Amino acid sequence: MSRNSRGSDSVTQKRRRVDGCVSGVAMRIEMQRRLVRSLMKSAARFLSVLLPGILFGPIAVHSQSSAQDITCEDGSGEYSTRFSTGISVIVGPMREGSFAERACAAKLVWNGHEISVASDAGQVGIDVLGADLGFGKPVVAFQIDRSGAGSNRTYQIYSLARPPQLLYSLKGADSYRAQDTDVDGRVEIWTDDAVAVDGFERVPSADLDSPPTVVFRFEKGRPVDVGFEFRSYYDAQIAKLRSQISARDLADFKQSDGDLSVKSLRSGEELHRLLRTKVSVLEIVWAYLYSGREQEAWAALNEMWPSQDLDRIRPSISSVHQSGILHNVDHASRSSSRKRYGKIYDAIETSIGVSIYNLNTGTSDSSLEEPAIVQPRSILLRRPPPSIEEQHPPSANEVMELVVDAAGKVRSAKVINGTDEPLVQASSGWQFIPAFRDGHPVACRFRLNVSTLQ
């Protein structure tokens, strides 16, 4: 969801510009990559959105040269809505009188009362609005970047029941993304352990393509590590990394001292090659550790690390893992498992009622009587401008079919009767108040008309 695909080309570009440091290899599955690192940079264009039967005005976001799919950046961009519980969520530039400053603020307002969520921040983004993250009530979750550097963000979760209150605050990651991964109504937080590994073995996290991925969900108000439930994702990372380490590079690295200090008597090119291999090995070990497979992690380390350096590196890796973002997170019992079913409510054929889309059969069952669906409402919609290479500008009006999950994230998108790949790619960063059925957030398939305002 994403964070669109940044494959081997982006890795190549990063390696070219890094001098003396190592760029990590690309190891994200395209969809899951969108989960964790969705802050896709692109120039913003305004969109007006017409959901079936509901008219929305243009999204109030100023044109920016480096717009991200965050709500407010450097005082540019704003959003406000009044949720059904009577709580107003307001994000926008700080103001000195009638003048907007180059800083962002967020607040919750109800019945003349107000809670300041953030002020004088470089970036404030709404990740979730109206979803249930596991607290048994609708919440709003903010990503707050005080410095605006795009790293070490705070994730704050507030209830949307009156009076609103801070339910949980997370620190230690560069990004957070809530998503109903299996479309089963349970929402996971996909994040990273970037702060913990920053500078580990003298490699800044900014030069890692993929800091360790962390997956947890809230159960009874407590975050629970559920990374082991998504081993197929981590296995794809591991396979990708292994495929990009040549036998020669691995053999040369295993003959080194493992530390690879700058004082090593090696050429710059050789040292860079060994550093790149070292980081790839670390990322493989991390993928095993963060998916709950400690034995496999140490087996991989024994297989790929210089034997004379194992006594030094193993406790260092273990210490980082235990002291990072997971240090205050519970660990789920391995007996628990992912649900193997999910429902996507079909709100396209509104004239004949709502049908359920069965994920197992891929068909809809219109024989089931279901209450009406309150369709998703947009929070943030941006698209990149047409590239110089494009022969024809995008259509002024396009119809898209989207599946939005119970966390308000776009899970699939297509343009009806046409193709607009940049628009489809941009939709991975779109955010919605999710659809509701009987007052509960649900996944929903629907259509919207997109009009580009010049």
Side-chain angles (χ1 to χ4, degrees):
M1 233 180 168
S2 181
R3 328 172 168 117
N4 234 317
S5 175
R6 284 177 277 176
S8 58
D9 288 345
S10 64
V11 176
T12 301
Q13 293 171 3
K14 184 180 288 185
R15 286 176 177 168
R16 288 174 178 172
R17 71 172 181 263
V18 174
D19 183 14
C21 295
V22 181
S23 299
V25 294
M27 64 178 187
R28 299 282 188 191
I29 305 173
E30 181 175 350
M31 182 58 71
Q32 297 287 16
R33 181 179 177 87
R34 296 170 183 172
L35 297 178
V36 184
R37 307 184 68 82
S38 68
L39 299 177
M40 178 180 61
K41 293 188 176 181
S42 60
R45 302 183 74 191
F46 295 131
L47 299 179
S48 65
V49 179
L50 177 62
L51 298 181
I54 305 176
L55 178 66
F56 289 83
I59 306 302
V61 179
H62 299 287
S63 178
Q64 302 173 55
S65 60
S66 181
Q68 300 173 320
D69 38 351
I70 53 177
T71 315
C72 178
E73 178 178 15
D74 294 333
S76 180
E78 56 187 303
Y79 172 82
S80 66
T81 190
R82 187 174 186 269
F83 194 66
S84 59
T85 57
I87 308 296
S88 293
V89 179
I90 303 172
V91 176
M94 291 188 64
R95 297 188 181 277
E96 182 66 33
S98 60
F99 296 97
E101 299 184 4
R102 293 185 59 82
C104 299
K107 60 184 178 181
L108 304 176
V109 179
W110 76 104
N111 289 348
H113 301 283
E114 180 178 310
I115 290 180
S116 176
V117 175
S119 62
D120 199 23
Q123 299 174 352
V124 177
I126 298 174
D127 180 55
V128 164
L129 206 171
D132 180 1
L133 296 188
F135 295 90
K137 62 188 72 174
V139 303
V140 56
F142 301 90
Q143 290 199 71
I144 302 168
D145 183 349
R146 300 290 178 186
S147 68
S151 61
N152 199 3
R153 293 183 169 93
T154 300
Y155 195 71
Q156 294 191 352
I157 304 171
Y158 285 81
S159 67
L160 284 173
R162 290 188 291 180
Q165 58 181 317
L166 179 63
L167 299 175
Y168 210 90
S169 182
L170 287 161
K171 297 180 180 180
D174 283 352
S175 67
Y176 307 83
R177 183 174 174 87
Q179 181 163 311
D180 180 6
T181 309
D182 291 331
V183 200
D184 59 6
R186 301 185 303 173
V187 178
E188 289 79 34
I189 310 294
W190 289 75
T191 182
D192 57 63
D193 216 359
V195 175
V197 302
D198 186 28
F200 183 71
E201 293 291 291
R202 299 182 300 278
V203 179
S205 63
D207 291 329
L208 295 174
D209 185 66
S210 301
T213 299
V214 179
V215 190
F216 63 87
R217 73 170 65 95
F218 285 92
E219 297 180 2
K220 297 180 179 180
R222 285 286 303 168
V224 177
D225 176 19
V226 294
F228 72 94
E229 295 184 12
F230 300 92
R231 287 182 177 177
S232 60
Y233 162 68
Y234 290 95
D235 285 342
Q237 290 184 333
I238 293 166
K240 180 73 171 180
L241 284 165
R242 285 185 178 273
S243 71
Q244 296 187 4
I245 301 176
S246 71
R248 176 200 168 196
D249 287 349
L250 183 59
D252 288 348
F253 174 62
K254 291 190 68 174
Q255 292 299 316
S256 73
D257 63 358
D259 183 56
L260 299 181
S261 69
V262 292
K263 298 179 181 179
S264 176
L265 298 177
R266 299 177 184 273
S267 67
E269 181 179 352
E270 181 183 12
L271 183 59
H272 180 80
R273 180 170 57 86
L274 293 178
L275 281 169
R276 188 175 65 234
T277 303
K278 175 179 178 176
V279 170
S280 296
V281 173
L282 286 172
E283 290 178 332
I284 290 172
V285 175
W286 284 333
Y288 280 120
L289 275 179
Y290 286 82
S291 58
R293 293 175 286 183
E294 188 172 356
Q295 290 185 353
E296 290 92 331
W298 303 139
L301 189 68
N302 291 338
E303 170 199 352
M304 308 178 78
W305 202 268
S307 57
Q308 69 272 22
D309 193 44
L310 286 172
D311 290 342
R312 179 192 70 88
I313 194 64
R314 176 168 167 169
S316 296
I317 294 174
S318 181
S319 176
V320 166
H321 178 238
Q322 294 173 8
S323 63
I325 198 171
L326 292 174
H327 80 281
N328 198 32
V329 173
D330 298 333
H331 295 275
S333 169
R334 294 300 189 269
S335 61
S336 65
S337 60
R338 296 166 67 182
K339 295 181 180 180
R340 298 300 177 184
Y341 62 89
K343 291 182 179 179
I344 298 175
Y345 291 85
D346 193 337
I348 293 177
E349 301 295 336
T350 55
S351 60
I352 59 173
V354 177
S355 61
I356 298 176
Y357 186 80
N358 189 309
L359 290 180
N360 296 321
T361 65
T363 61
S364 59
D365 186 354
S366 58
S367 65
L368 298 176
E369 294 184 0
E370 293 289 331
I373 297 295
V374 178
Q375 294 186 15
R377 294 169 52 197
S378 62
I379 298 175
L380 180 65
L381 307 182
R382 287 192 178 105
R383 67 173 299 169
S387 64
I388 298 176
E389 293 79 12
E390 286 187 87
Q391 298 295 322
H392 304 285
S395 172
N397 294 282
E398 297 178 279
V399 179
M400 296 190 71
E401 184 172 299
L402 303 174
V403 172
V404 170
D405 67 19
K409 300 307 192 309
V410 175
R411 302 304 301 277
S412 69
K414 65 179 180 180
V415 176
I416 304 300
N417 298 327
T419 59
D420 190 338
E421 187 58 29
L423 180 61
V424 171
Q425 291 180 353
S427 70
S428 68
W430 291 357
Q431 296 159 331
F432 291 84
I433 298 174
F436 284 85
R437 171 182 170 270
D438 276 352
H440 300 286
V442 296
C444 177
R445 184 165 67 99
F446 66 106
R447 289 179 179 175
L448 73 147
N449 295 332
V450 177
S451 298
T452 303
L453 303 185
Q454 301 296 337

